[in-house]
Amino acid sequence: MAGPYASSPAKASRAGPAADALAGTRLPHLAGAAAGLRQVLAAHAVRHCPHIVEIGGAGLPITSFLTHQPASVTVIDPKIPPHEADTLNGAPCRLRHIAAKLQQVELAPPGPYALVLLGLSLKPFGRRGAVSPELLALAAGATVLVIDYARELERAQGQIGALTATRSAAPAIDLELTINDAALRAAGFHQRHLLAYGPA
């Protein structure tokens, strides 16, 4: 099999630890090999963006799926091991994995940037709501916005409308996915919807 996704996963930093060590523990329903399909699709959608912000990602961050050479990658999830590096895929890159809730981090990424929300299931933090005005502004300003969520997850159903309302154009990619993975099926999360807004 040939192509950019056929090789072994890239390391998050050529000088740092292996990508698996940077990912943290996967949730049981995302432990199967098929779960990474969402990251492959997202990496394709953001391949022209110099700056990437991912909300969520512990256990399976987009970092090791990226095939291009972005200038910065920021992944925010309370369960991801903290990590910083200055290279990715053999090129200079400001790489940060931040172990925090989104509401605890002030974000002002330079443009153009991509916002990635895989496994959409945001939770409130203190008095700050799950889908805050800051998150909606981040989604509206993104050149590329990628969202994946489980169709049966009630929390995601209550959040997707506000996020998609930030976009004036139809998604460039609108996929209904059934991932035939036993753990995903047992959790009821095997039927998924992936949306990518911005240039395809």
Side-chain angles (χ1 to χ4, degrees), residues 36-134:
L37 173 63
R38 303 165 310 125
Q39 280 75 7
V40 171
L41 293 168
H44 174 79
V46 305
R47 69 195 183 280
H48 298 301
C49 292
H51 304 283
I52 316 257
V53 175
E54 181 176 26
I55 309 301
L60 206 58
I62 198 168
T63 310
S64 64
F65 292 86
L66 298 170
T67 58
H68 69 301
Q69 296 178 333
S72 73
V73 177
T74 303
V75 181
I76 301 165
D77 191 296
K79 295 179 181 176
I80 199 164
H83 177 71
E84 290 193 21
D86 56 10
T87 62
L88 179 67
N89 297 336
C93 175
R94 184 178 186 216
L95 172 61
R96 296 182 301 157
H97 288 181
I98 301 172
K101 290 272 194 181
L102 170 62
Q103 296 93 331
Q104 296 175 288
V105 180
E106 287 190 25
L107 285 174
Y113 67 89
L115 177 62
V116 178
L117 295 154
L118 301 181
L120 177 66
S121 180
L122 301 168
K123 295 179 182 178
F125 182 72
R127 295 183 179 182
R128 301 186 72 178
V131 182
S132 65
E134 293 83 3

